[in-house]
Amino acid sequence: MKGSLGLMCNGAKIGLLFLLLIISGCNTLKKVGEDELLLTKNSIVVDDEKVGNSEIKSLVTQQPNSNVLGYPLKLNLYNLAKENPDSTFQDWLNRKEKREKRLNNLLSKKQVNRLSESFIVKGASEFLKRIGEPPVIIDTAETNKSINKLKAYYNSKGYFNNTGDYEIVEGNQNKKAKITYNITLNKPFIVDTVQKNITSPELDSIYGKNAKQSLIKKGEQFDLDIFTLERERLTTLFRNSGVYNFQESSINYDILRDTTLISDDQLMDVKLNINKFRSSTDSTDTSTPYKVARLRKINIYADYDINGDTDTLKSIVHENYNIYYSGKLRYKPQALADAIFFEKDSVYRDLDRIRTYRQITNLNTFKYPNIEFIPDSTQTQLESNIYLAAKPKYSLNLNFDVTHSNIQQVGTAFSASVITRNVFGGAETLNVSARGSIGLLSDGSLSDDNFTSELGGDVTITFPRIWLPFNTENIIPHYMLPQSRLSAGTNFQRNIGLDKQSLNAVLSYNWSPTDRLKNNIELLNVEFVRNVNPDNFYNVYSNTFSSLDEIADDFQNDSENASYFEDFSADEPTLDIPEGANSFASDILNNLLQVSDEQFDEVNSIEERRRRLTENNLIFASNFTHTKNSKSDINDLDFYQYRIKLESAGGMLALLANIIPYNKNDIEQNLVFSVPFSQYVKTEFDYIRHWDIGGSQVIALRSFSGLAIPYGNSDNIPFVRSYFAGGSNDNRAWNAYELGPGSTDNINDFNEANLKLALNIEYRFPIAGDVKGALFADAGNIWNVFDNETNPDAIFNGFSSLGDIALGTGLGLRYDFTFFVFRLDVGFKTYNPAKIGSNRWFDGYNLKKAVFNIGINYPF
């Protein structure tokens, strides 16, 4: 099997090399005619200065063929396609006298004719054309369009007297040329006076009260974008001041200027016009100007049926809301009232309408609501009808996934959940879920010990409000979409570490002050982790066992030590797991066996690690997480996001030690339910920035820093809350848990620590169709600090330890399946802090030592 895989890999490498040779040998001018010029570059020069602004450069209609690191890959793929593949096939067929006859005898005449239409002959060329790009031939008609678009752009910036032309510069190679666009701006026009003509007295009053916020100011240069923003500002202002039907199209500007004069004081007069309301079916203004309206009546239809009769519904009045329903009212009136931000007799605000939509949707109890406003004859009183159609009381969700993680090479997961809505009548949601998975460990062998399994379940109830014994509405209003969650769950793992069973319970609150800001408080996060198979420690952590077994080599020749070994009569006996290894370490630490000071320290470190990783964990924690994401929508490629997290564990239990006499273990740790509780503080900061550099190319950056400090009842951080380095979403030149701590060389099977620094940067670019490429550099490491670690190579000692930051570089391929992205990254160890001197640089920079990472979606 290994031999077959090796042949396949070598064949793939040879095939890839052959393809690269073919593509690199392509002539980019292959399909450029004699009298044509291939566009290689555009330059825009404004007042003798070159412009690099991507927005302005995008105004040029014709753009050079795209490239990957300067190489026109798509153009050369297109050039590989045959123009007339069927005629080329016929030429080949008739090139030798008996070739067609032999093919007809071998296949049949009909099959030979079909061969000319096959993918091999015709389909391959069509495929290459589809994923490639035809050569961009300079077209002066398109060039003139570009000049006009550039002039129009600078017109919109106040340079009404600008002029423009272009120059085609042929290169040293025939059939290649660059285009330089030259724009002369001349003097800009400046806003001199701003006048207004507002037909509605009420709009005029609102405008006057907010005139200081106007974006159009005397003495500033004309900019059409500013005028557009001012129209949007006024529309928002009026619609939030009672004018429910105000239309942005009612706003226009008269610009008075003389473009024939070019002087030092080119001034312009601006006149703001706000017309009367104009309906979509009427081309003239109505006789009634815009008016401020108030909510006269608010009706909530809690069981709306589009085919039902609203006249037969029952009704109640709650806090001036008229609630209509059929049969029995299934919802608490207060729960409905809290979701509506209109109030009777209040001035209409569009912001209240938007918030009402968001809150009703956030309840997860109703389908998307329908809200209408019916004015009276005076246009000053509104009746609001809010139609709420309930979602099904129960719903079942089933999911099947193929998974990949830092531990599992591949896995399958199945989950099922039952959702119950409006559990207690207050729009609460109950979610009962179960999940199971099996997977193959990362070493890839197919033995039973390398298959993992996981089984778990959770019960979660969500309340659409902050669930506390006191009122929090003044601090966290309903428009922030507050939620409280109470969950409990359990999880069983097999062949992952020491086989774990965990129980957890969480009480959390989350709210969103804006669409881009989110806050989450876990007031109580309790987790109990039980190691089901602690005797398997030395089998799982084989590196640790090897270190202990190496020390035991000095005691192989004395028969009195036979009890430590599995087979003392063997040529090279090994320690017996677990009794022999545990007894050997214990006897050394109790000075029953004599070893060197260095060996004693190493055994002490091994025993401390075994105790730490095999003992059960009890974590009582609270944390706060604040996130911000500037991404406007799924297609926004230029954004940033950050996450700040603060966590504290064990503090409350430690305070209770003065009241409750805890039991203690042999190292004086306080015990709760016979388990020492963890005590630490932890903080994290995660920052991501994406830059859109045009042509579907993105530069992505991520930085992460995290620190967890044990104190009081703990001298280390629980494994489940510690940090590791390496893996497909971290430093891709190392496998998960292989890097660090510090300058240590993978001394443990799962290396982790309590301080982490990471910095990743990635250049993403399109290759062909849905295939994307990436070049990346990953830097970072983990260290121990303020805990019980004694190895100086693993401890962070200030700025000098920054020399232990590892660097991995590499490249990747990604295929976009629309719903997810499949990712393959190859990482090379560029700077390895575990090496010495010059060996740290580029020691593992070859395919044999490369790390191949498979991932789903982008790493950041």
Side-chain angles (χ1 to χ4, degrees):
M1 182 67 178
K2 291 182 179 179
S4 299
L5 288 173
L7 288 173
M8 288 172 64
C9 291
N10 290 332
K13 293 175 185 176
I14 293 171
L16 181 60
L17 180 61
F18 183 66
L19 178 62
L20 291 173
L21 288 173
I22 290 176
I23 294 175
S24 62
C26 285
N27 178 11
T28 56
L29 302 174
K30 180 178 179 180
K31 295 184 179 179
V32 179
E34 287 299 324
D35 298 324
E36 295 177 331
L37 293 173
L38 178 69
L39 178 61
T40 59
K41 186 178 180 181
N42 286 324
S43 297
I44 302 173
V45 178
V46 177
D47 285 349
D48 298 325
E49 289 189 11
K50 193 173 182 179
V51 174
N53 185 292
S54 59
E55 178 188 359
I56 299 174
K57 291 167 75 173
S58 67
L59 297 172
V60 177
T61 305
Q62 282 193 301
Q63 298 289 344
N65 289 99
S66 62
N67 64 79
V68 178
L69 300 177
Y71 178 75
L73 175 63
K74 288 189 175 183
L75 172 59
N76 282 336
L77 286 172
Y78 186 90
N79 285 341
L80 285 174
K82 303 293 184 182
E83 284 297 325
N84 298 297
D86 47 354
S87 61
T88 304
F89 175 74
Q90 292 297 328
D91 291 341
W92 173 82
L93 195 63
N94 298 322
R95 196 173 301 159
K96 291 186 178 181
E97 262 182 54
K98 298 181 180 180
R99 178 175 287 170
E100 183 174 4
K101 185 178 180 180
R102 285 197 302 268
L103 274 177
N104 288 339
N105 292 334
L106 180 64
L107 301 172
S108 72
K109 188 173 182 180
K110 188 176 182 180
Q111 287 177 324
V112 172
N113 290 334
R114 285 182 178 176
L115 189 60
S116 65
E117 300 293 326
S118 68
F119 175 79
I120 297 174
V121 175
K122 196 172 184 178
S125 291
E126 291 176 352
F127 174 74
L128 288 170
K129 286 183 178 181
R130 187 168 67 251
I131 66 172
E133 286 179 353
V136 179
I137 306 301
I138 292 177
D139 184 342
T140 55
E142 296 297 324
T143 308
N144 282 312
K145 283 183 184 179
S146 299
I147 277 290
N148 291 332
K149 289 170 72 174
L150 288 169
K151 291 173 65 178
Y153 172 81
Y154 285 105
N155 271 339
S156 73
K157 298 301 180 183
Y159 298 99
F160 296 110
N161 295 315
N162 76 77
T163 59
D165 58 25
Y166 66 87
E167 180 184 5
I168 299 176
V169 183
E170 295 191 32
N172 296 328
Q173 290 182 287
N174 292 331
K175 299 184 180 182
K176 289 186 178 182
K178 304 175 183 179
I179 300 180
T180 300
Y181 296 90
N182 297 296
I183 301 293
T184 302
L185 296 179
N186 295 317
K187 293 289 183 179
F189 276 74
I190 306 299
V191 175
D192 184 28
T193 62
V194 181
Q195 301 174 345
K196 59 185 175 68
N197 175 30
I198 303 176
T199 56
S200 166
E202 295 189 54
L203 290 188
D204 191 29
S205 174
I206 296 170
Y207 178 84
K209 292 177 182 178
N210 297 273
K212 290 184 179 180
Q213 282 76 46
S214 175
L215 303 176
I216 302 172
K217 301 182 184 296
K218 178 179 179 179
E220 294 192 353
Q221 182 175 326
F222 175 86
D223 188 337
L224 185 60
D225 288 342
I226 298 298
F227 279 72
T228 301
L229 291 174
E230 177 66 3
R231 289 182 69 193
E232 294 173 356
R233 185 190 74 86
L234 290 176
T235 300
T236 302
L237 172 65
F238 294 144
R239 290 182 66 86
N240 282 321
S241 301
V243 189
Y244 79 99
N245 59 345
F246 186 81
Q247 297 174 332
E248 189 174 317
S249 59
S250 296
I251 303 174
N252 62 72
Y253 293 92
D254 292 333
I255 306 296
L256 306 175
R257 71 188 194 281
D258 188 350
T259 59
T260 62
L261 298 175
I262 301 179
S263 61
D264 292 335
D265 55 349
Q266 294 187 116
L267 305 177
M268 60 192 309
D269 299 321
V270 176
K271 186 177 184 181
L272 166 66
N273 300 305
I274 302 182
N275 301 319
K276 300 176 183 178
F277 173 78
R278 178 178 293 173
S279 68
S280 58
T281 58
D282 189 2
S283 59
T284 60
D285 292 346
T286 61
S287 58
T288 304
Y290 286 113
K291 293 184 178 180
V292 172
R294 293 179 177 272
L295 277 300
R296 178 178 61 86
K297 188 177 182 182
I298 303 172
N299 304 317
I300 303 173
Y301 292 87
D303 291 297
Y304 180 66
D305 183 357
I306 194 171
N307 298 316
D309 183 4
T310 57
D311 295 333
T312 61
L313 297 177
K314 300 177 183 179
S315 67
I316 61 169
V317 178
H318 179 79
E319 295 184 356
N320 291 322
Y321 295 106
N322 303 308
I323 302 174
Y324 294 87
Y325 60 96
S326 61
K328 181 182 178 181
L329 181 59
R330 294 184 290 161
Y331 311 98
K332 293 179 181 178
Q334 190 61 48
L336 298 175
D338 287 344
I340 311 301
F341 293 92
F342 309 118
E343 294 182 2
K344 185 179 179 182
D345 298 325
S346 66
V347 172
Y348 170 87
R349 296 199 315 165
D350 208 42
L351 181 61
D352 293 332
R353 179 184 65 85
I354 295 170
R355 286 175 173 174
T356 300
Y357 273 117
R358 289 182 64 212
Q359 176 65 350
I360 293 174
T361 303
N362 185 58
L363 294 179
N364 195 29
T365 300
F366 303 101
K367 300 174 183 176
Y368 194 75
N370 180 24
I371 304 176
E372 67 175 1
F373 298 94
I374 304 172
D376 65 358
S377 58
T378 66
Q379 299 287 317
T380 61
Q381 298 291 320
L382 297 176
E383 181 174 343
S384 173
N385 294 320
I386 303 167
Y387 301 103
L388 305 177
K391 288 182 177 180
K393 176 76 172 179
Y394 304 99
S395 63
L396 173 66
N397 294 327
L398 300 175
N399 290 298
F400 178 80
D401 296 308
V402 177
T403 62
H404 169 78
S405 70
N406 294 315
I407 296 176
Q408 288 184 349
Q409 179 172 297
V410 65
T412 59
F414 177 82
S415 63
S417 63
V418 177
I419 298 175
T420 305
R421 297 181 175 87
N422 196 37
V423 180
F424 305 121
E428 303 86 1
T429 303
L430 176 67
N431 189 327
V432 180
S433 63
R435 61 188 176 276
S437 68
I438 58 172
L440 181 66
L441 290 174
S442 295
D443 62 10
S445 59
L446 299 179
S447 65
D448 290 341
D449 290 340
N450 284 311
F451 278 96
T452 68
S453 63
E454 189 169 349
L455 188 66
D458 297 284
V459 177
T460 303
I461 186 165
T462 302
F463 301 87
R465 64 193 72 87
I466 299 298
W467 191 50
L468 284 171
F470 51 89
N471 191 348
T472 61
E473 189 175 351
N474 292 331
I475 304 171
I476 306 173
H478 291 301
Y479 72 80
M480 292 185 180
L481 311 182
Q483 287 185 333
S484 302
R485 282 194 176 91
L486 181 61
S487 68
T490 185
N491 198 59
F492 300 86
Q493 294 178 342
R494 178 181 172 274
N495 279 357
I496 302 177
L498 302 177
D499 298 346
K500 295 182 184 298
Q501 176 187 357
S502 65
L503 299 171
N504 63 81
V506 179
L507 173 60
S508 67
Y509 308 98
N510 63 78
W511 67 97
S512 302
T514 68
D515 289 339
R516 298 181 177 184
L517 290 176
K518 296 184 185 300
N519 295 310
N520 183 78
I521 289 179
E522 289 187 347
L523 187 63
L524 188 63
N525 185 324
V526 181
E527 184 175 15
F528 171 69
V529 181
R530 173 175 171 261
N531 291 299
V532 179
N533 193 6
D535 289 343
N536 202 35
F537 174 80
Y538 286 115
N539 289 320
V540 173
Y541 298 92
S542 56
N543 286 355
T544 302
F545 176 73
S546 297
S547 299
L548 184 65
D549 192 57
E550 186 177 340
I551 296 174
D553 289 346
D554 297 338
F555 298 88
Q556 293 177 359
N557 299 322
D558 190 343
S559 60
E560 293 183 2
N561 301 323
S563 61
Y564 299 133
F565 298 94
E566 183 177 6
D567 183 4
F568 188 72
S569 61
D571 292 338
E572 294 183 3
T574 59
L575 289 172
D576 177 54
I577 297 176
E579 286 83 2
N582 291 340
S583 298
F584 179 72
S586 177
D587 288 349
I588 288 178
L589 297 179
N590 289 322
N591 294 315
L592 299 178
L593 294 175
Q594 299 302 312
V595 294
S596 67
D597 291 343
E598 183 179 347
Q599 289 176 323
F600 184 91
D601 290 340
E602 184 172 0
V603 172
N604 186 56
S605 177
I606 289 172
E607 185 61 16
E608 283 187 356
R609 178 172 172 79
R610 187 191 68 82
R611 177 183 61 81
R612 174 179 171 238
L613 295 179
T614 58
E615 72 179 4
N616 299 329
N617 295 127
L618 182 62
I619 304 170
F620 277 78
S622 299
N623 63 66
F624 170 73
T625 304
H626 170 75
T627 61
K628 181 176 182 179
N629 191 339
S630 70
K631 193 170 187 177
S632 58
D633 56 58
I634 194 171
N635 297 314
D636 187 0
L637 299 179
D638 201 309
F639 66 94
Y640 70 89
Q641 68 181 57
Y642 66 80
R643 178 181 64 88
I644 300 171
K645 183 176 182 179
L646 303 172
E647 180 171 310
S648 174
M652 184 61 68
L653 291 178
L655 290 176
L656 293 176
N658 298 322
I659 304 173
I660 302 174
Y662 290 125
N663 293 326
K664 296 179 182 291
N665 61 11
D666 55 356
I667 57 173
E668 294 300 308
Q669 287 180 304
N670 292 323
L671 304 179
V672 175
F673 305 123
S674 302
V675 178
F677 62 84
S678 300
Q679 192 171 0
Y680 63 86
V681 291
K682 184 178 183 180
T683 181
E684 294 177 356
F685 180 73
D686 194 4
Y687 177 79
I688 294 174
R689 180 72 167 93
H690 286 201
W691 290 274
D692 183 0
I693 57 176
S696 299
Q697 300 175 95
V698 172
I699 293 177
L701 177 141
R702 176 182 62 184
S703 65
F704 176 87
S705 59
L707 172 63
I709 303 175
Y711 71 100
N713 208 50
S714 299
D715 57 6
N716 56 70
I717 301 300
F719 184 87
V720 294
R721 300 295 171 94
S722 59
Y723 299 112
F724 69 92
S728 60
N729 294 322
D730 192 65
N731 196 319
R732 286 160 281 186
W734 279 262
N735 290 314
Y737 294 97
E738 279 190 356
L739 175 59
S743 60
T744 61
D745 190 9
N746 194 22
I747 56 176
N748 299 310
D749 300 85
F750 295 92
N751 295 285
E752 38 79 37
N754 63 325
L755 169 64
K756 180 173 182 177
L757 298 175
L759 180 66
N760 313 78
I761 188 166
E762 187 169 277
Y763 166 55
R764 300 168 184 168
F765 52 88
I767 295 178
D770 292 326
V771 179
K772 321 271 184 198
L775 298 175
F776 61 82
D778 300 327
N781 207 335
I782 56 173
W783 294 266
N784 290 92
V785 64
F786 305 128
D787 62 1
N788 62 346
E789 179 60 54
T790 58
N791 185 348
D793 293 335
I795 298 174
F796 187 84
N797 292 308
F799 286 107
S800 61
S801 294
L802 296 180
D804 295 336
I805 290 179
L807 175 64
T809 56
L811 66 161
L813 285 176
R814 290 86 194 273
Y815 189 88
D816 191 345
F817 286 95
T818 304
F819 296 106
F820 68 94
V821 175
F822 178 80
R823 174 166 54 92
L824 173 63
D825 291 328
V826 184
F828 301 91
K829 295 178 177 63
T830 308
Y831 178 80
N832 187 351
K835 302 292 183 180
I836 299 175
S838 60
N839 290 331
R840 289 184 166 190
W841 287 99
F842 303 105
D843 182 58
Y845 223 81
N846 55 67
L847 275 176
K848 186 177 180 180
K849 295 183 179 180
V851 176
F852 291 84
N853 299 275
I854 294 175
I856 302 298
N857 294 326
Y858 291 106
F860 52 90

